[in-house]
């Protein structure tokens, strides 16, 4: 067997594979002999079928199969030994008048080669790295929500502003009949609010659904209908008052602090606010990190210029799926995937140049951290080390989970690298301003 490469240009090449009869004949003969031993053909005893008949029936299929195996094994070996960085897979060239009867067989494969380029993390224009802080208003609002959540309900006879009302919304035409609890502080329109204030248990109030709540998503849950239906709804509904309560806020005392954070971990209102600030900013950091990762990715794609073997990739996309695509479909798919492919190449180069690797032991520790955070969501705060070890081992026994966690860990390594080496400008913002700036 002889394999040679013809370089077309920097991004395209053709590999030629010449296979002679000596490369495949022994294997083909061996398989056909096995076929002869097992063949059951009417008129012949088992194992006594003439080899000529076996070759006539199975010879070409066995030959094609064995040659294809030879091609695949040796082509992959050649690409590895020659250190050819290819995109997609080699594409076999169609050859006119190809004859499997020839003793010597010649094949050609098109290659799309990865481009050569440089990556610099020191982009000309600095990238904003947001540091989201919990401001006084946010902390005070959170304290108020805690007091409300852990406060007690006091029954009342007449509705006043700030109360909670339990009742049933009805509208026969729209088949609405849903019991719910609404907070008057969430009512948007003055007309609706005035209609509710002063009502007693047993009273019925007619309300318009349009602009009823300050937050639109509340309407669907209040009426017991889908979000899609609620968005288009503009009707009158009846609300029958069944229960009126005032929620008296919980006292900020040690009993409440212990309930929230465990015994004696928080001992004052000031410590409560510090804990809220710390926990909130830890959650915000994850959002800011994801934004940074996205922004660095976009900037690297924009700043790192290189050509791709576009014609080859369009052809590869056209034939590599479950069904053959048209030229236009392949072109559209290439345009959709080009940006992702560019970053995949950029990311691969960054990983290689900075020797970023995922070692098994650190993957296990990463898996333990993931398991621990999952357990914490269900109230299991301090699991035993052996318990974490056992669960992490089970998780890492699943190859899909290994792949997913490895990708997450590598993303974290890239993020740490970007924080260390990229041209970043730290900007301190409140959460509201972060949302406005980052996602407007």
């Amino acid at each position: 067997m002889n394999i040679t490469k013809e370089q077309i240009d920097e991004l395209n090449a053709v590999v030629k594979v010449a296979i002679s009869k000596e490369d495949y004949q022994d294997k083909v003969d061996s398989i056909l002999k096995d076929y002869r031993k097992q063949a059951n053909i009417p008129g012949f005893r088992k194992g006594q079928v003439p080899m000529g008949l076996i070759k006539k029936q199975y010879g070409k299929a066995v030959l094609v199969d064995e040659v294809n195996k030879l091609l695949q094994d040796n082509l992959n070996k050649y690409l590895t030994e020659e250190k050819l960085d290819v995109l997609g897979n080699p594409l076999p060239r169609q050859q006119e008048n190809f004859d499997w009867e020839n003793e010597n067989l010649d094949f050609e494969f098109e290659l799309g080669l990865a481009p050569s380029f440089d990556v610099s993390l020191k982009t000309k224009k600095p990238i904003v790295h947001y540091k989201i802080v919990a401001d006084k208003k946010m902390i005070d609002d959170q304290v108020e929500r805690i007091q409300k959540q852990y406060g007690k309900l006091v029954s009342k006879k007449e509705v006043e502003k700030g109360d909670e009302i339990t009742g049933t919304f009805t509208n026969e035409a729209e088949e609405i009949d849903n019991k719910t609890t609404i907070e008057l502080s969430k009512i948007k329109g003055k007309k609706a609010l005035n209609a509710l204030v002063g009502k007693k248990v047993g009273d019925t109030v007619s309300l318009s659904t349009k602009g009823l709540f300050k937050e639109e998503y509340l309407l669907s849950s209040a009426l017991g209908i889908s979000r899609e239906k609620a968005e288009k709804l503009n009707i009158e509904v009846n609300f029958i008052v069944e229960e009126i309560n005032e929620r008296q806020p919980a006292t900020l005392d040690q009993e409440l602090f212990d309930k929230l954070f465990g015994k004696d971990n928080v001992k004052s209102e000031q410590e409560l606010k510090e804990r809220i600030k710390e926990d909130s900013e830890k959650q915000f950091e994850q959002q800011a990190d994801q934004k940074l990762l996205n922004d660095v990715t976009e900037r690297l794609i924009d700043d790192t210029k290189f050509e791709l073997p576009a014609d080859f990739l369009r052809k590869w996309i056209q034939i590599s799926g479950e069904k053959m695509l048209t030229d236009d479909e392949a072109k559209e798919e290439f345009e959709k995937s080009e940006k992702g492919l560019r970053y995949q190449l950029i990311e691969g180069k960054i990983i290689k140049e900075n020797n970023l690797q995922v070692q098994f032991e650190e993957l296990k520790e990463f898996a333990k951290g993931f398991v621990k955070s999952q357990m914490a969501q269900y109230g299991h705060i301090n699991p035993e080390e052996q318990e974490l070890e056992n669960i992490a081992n089970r998780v890492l026994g699943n190859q899909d989970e290994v792949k997913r966690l490895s990708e997450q860990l590598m993303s974290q390594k890239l993020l740490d690298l970007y924080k260390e080496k990229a041209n970043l400008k730290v900007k301190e913002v409140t959460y509201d301003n972060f949302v406005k700036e980052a996602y407007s």
Side-chain angles (χ1 to χ4, degrees), residues 130-273:
Y130 290 97
K131 176 176 171 54
I132 309 171
V133 295
D135 60 1
K136 183 178 183 302
K137 181 181 182 304
M138 173 177 279
I139 295 168
D140 289 343
D141 287 347
Q142 181 64 14
V143 170
E144 187 179 322
R145 277 194 290 273
I146 290 171
Q147 287 184 278
K148 211 170 184 182
Q149 181 182 348
Y150 289 91
K152 63 179 181 179
L153 291 176
V154 178
S155 180
K156 297 178 65 176
K157 293 183 178 181
E158 188 175 297
V159 178
E160 293 182 280
K161 288 183 180 180
D163 288 345
E164 294 181 10
I165 314 170
T166 298
T168 301
F169 279 107
T170 62
N171 181 290
E172 190 172 344
E174 295 292 337
E175 298 182 342
I176 294 171
D177 187 355
N178 190 59
K179 184 171 182 177
T180 188
T181 297
I182 58 175
E183 299 176 35
L184 261 66
S185 61
K186 302 288 177 68
I187 298 295
K188 184 178 180 181
K190 284 185 179 180
K191 185 178 178 182
L193 190 60
N194 292 335
L196 289 164
V197 170
K199 293 297 182 284
K200 298 177 181 177
V201 172
D203 288 347
T204 298
V205 185
S206 180
L207 300 169
S208 172
T209 59
K210 187 172 178 63
L212 180 57
F213 293 101
K214 292 177 181 177
E215 298 171 81
E216 292 182 5
Y217 76 90
L218 293 172
L219 183 64
S220 61
S221 59
L223 302 184
I225 60 176
S226 68
R227 290 280 290 270
E228 292 75 20
K229 183 176 180 179
E231 286 173 3
K232 303 171 185 175
L233 207 60
N234 184 10
I235 60 171
E236 293 289 319
V237 289
N238 288 326
F239 182 73
I240 305 165
V241 179
E242 297 171 13
E243 189 179 326
I244 306 165
N245 291 298
E246 177 189 359
R247 187 174 288 274
Q248 295 182 347
T251 304
L252 297 175
D253 57 16
Q254 195 60 47
E255 182 182 353
L256 178 61
F257 301 151
D258 290 349
K259 189 181 292 184
L260 291 170
F261 302 106
K263 187 168 177 59
D264 293 335
N265 287 320
V266 170
K267 296 183 179 180
S268 67
E269 182 177 344
Q270 182 58 36
E271 287 185 16
L272 170 66
K273 290 182 176 181

Side-chain angles (χ1 to χ4, degrees), residues 68-102:
N68 281 328
K69 287 178 184 175
L70 270 174
L71 281 171
Q72 186 174 0
D73 292 345
N74 286 278
L75 189 55
N76 289 337
K77 184 180 177 183
Y78 175 80
L79 297 177
T80 302
E81 289 176 349
E82 295 296 314
K83 298 180 181 178
L84 294 176
D85 193 0
V86 299
L87 302 180
N89 293 315
L91 293 179
R93 271 187 170 178
Q94 297 299 322
Q95 299 180 62
E96 293 183 12
N97 305 319
F98 184 85
D99 189 358
W100 283 99
E101 298 297 328
N102 290 333

Side-chain angles (χ1 to χ4, degrees), residues 118-123 300 303-304:
D118 294 319
V119 181
S120 174
L121 295 178
K122 294 293 183 183
T123 54
L300 287 173
D303 287 3
T304 309

